[in-house]
Amino acid sequence: MSKSNFSYIQLFRHKFNRLVSISLFLLTLTIILSWSWILPSYTQTPTPNVQSRESLIQEIKDYAERHVENDKAMDSRLMIDLYEKNSVGLSTPEITKIYEEEYTKLKEAKDSNLWERIKDDLFYGLSWFAAIVFLILFIFKEAIQGWATNLTNTFGDWLYNQISGLELFWNYSLRRYKKGLINKHEKLKIPFRPNRPLSL
């Protein structure tokens, strides 16, 4: 192969590679430009407003209702913090007004409800009543414990007297009788040893 043919082949390869590179660059540039023209048309379409004005107002009223039901104080600052930056155009005074009017209306309705007042008074009264009962029990603890022990022993003795004659309980009755004799006569009291009885 001659030297001139070899240089033509190299030149041809070089031009072909250059042409391919330029074609790839132009294709990439075309795709990028087309994509940049198509993409803004999708991003700039107005998104539908998910939260309408009425639903936001209802949300604020629901907060007022929950605060009244839980006997929480009016908290307009919370509503401003939550809903000040809204997308439906409610201003801060409007948010405050909606919340406060709903809270006041529901609070007055709750206060005028007789059953709610009785329930509140009853529960508040029960807590004070329970505190007083516990105080009395604490003060008279020893007397109450002695009374409860005496009552338990009296009931136990009465129950024992009712069932001790049954054949099923004879063994228990004999054991209890022996134990009573031992407790009663275990120590023999001697007149010349008043503080030191003899152990039998």
Side-chain angles (χ1 to χ4, degrees):
M1 183 180 269
S2 68
K3 194 172 186 179
S4 62
N5 280 343
F6 187 74
S7 65
Y8 284 124
I9 293 174
Q10 281 182 340
L11 182 65
F12 178 75
R13 279 188 188 161
H14 179 66
K15 287 192 177 203
F16 178 76
N17 286 342
R18 196 175 204 193
L19 184 64
V20 168
S21 299
I22 291 172
S23 299
L24 284 174
F25 172 77
L26 289 175
L27 179 66
T28 308
L29 185 64
T30 306
I31 290 172
I32 290 174
L33 289 175
S34 300
W35 187 257
S36 65
W37 284 330
I38 293 170
L39 191 62
S41 66
Y42 284 114
T43 57
Q44 291 177 1
T45 55
T47 56
N49 193 358
V50 177
Q51 191 176 29
S52 67
R53 186 178 179 91
E54 289 77 22
S55 66
L56 184 63
I57 290 171
Q58 188 57 46
E59 227 175 279
I60 294 169
K61 289 182 177 181
D62 290 344
Y63 260 105
E65 185 178 353
R66 281 196 298 275
H67 287 175
V68 170
E69 284 176 3
N70 297 326
D71 293 324
K72 192 176 175 194
M74 189 183 293
D75 195 357
S76 302
R77 184 74 237 164
L78 175 66
M79 295 302 105
I80 293 169
D81 291 342
L82 289 174
Y83 298 111
E84 187 175 26
K85 296 175 182 174
N86 60 71
S87 59
V88 296
L90 273 179
S91 64
T92 304
E94 287 175 320
I95 294 169
T96 308
K97 183 180 176 188
I98 292 166
Y99 172 75
E100 289 177 357
E101 283 178 354
E102 186 71 14
Y103 183 92
T104 306
K105 181 180 79 172
L106 293 171
K107 183 72 172 166
E108 287 172 357
K110 184 176 181 181
D111 290 344
S112 65
N113 187 349
L114 183 62
W115 169 246
E116 288 289 333
R117 289 171 61 191
I118 291 171
K119 189 171 71 171
D120 290 344
D121 291 343
L122 179 67
F123 286 140
Y124 291 136
L126 279 179
S127 60
W128 282 107
F129 179 72
I132 291 169
V133 167
F134 280 123
L135 180 65
I136 291 170
L137 288 175
F138 181 74
I139 291 172
F140 297 108
K141 182 174 90 168
E142 295 296 326
I144 292 170
Q145 281 179 343
W147 179 77
T149 305
N150 190 19
L151 182 67
T152 306
N153 290 340
T154 304
F155 178 73
D157 290 342
W158 174 82
L159 185 63
Y160 172 74
N161 289 335
Q162 298 299 317
I163 64 170
S164 63
L166 299 175
E167 188 177 347
L168 182 64
F169 297 104
W170 282 355
N171 285 337
Y172 176 73
S173 298
L174 286 174
R175 274 196 307 254
R176 185 171 172 175
Y177 179 70
K178 285 178 187 177
K179 190 175 179 185
L181 284 176
I182 289 171
N183 288 340
K184 187 174 183 181
H185 300 292
E186 182 179 17
K187 305 284 184 183
L188 179 62
K189 295 181 182 177
I190 302 172
F192 57 87
R193 290 177 61 171
N195 294 332
R196 296 182 305 153
L198 288 177
S199 178
L200 299 176

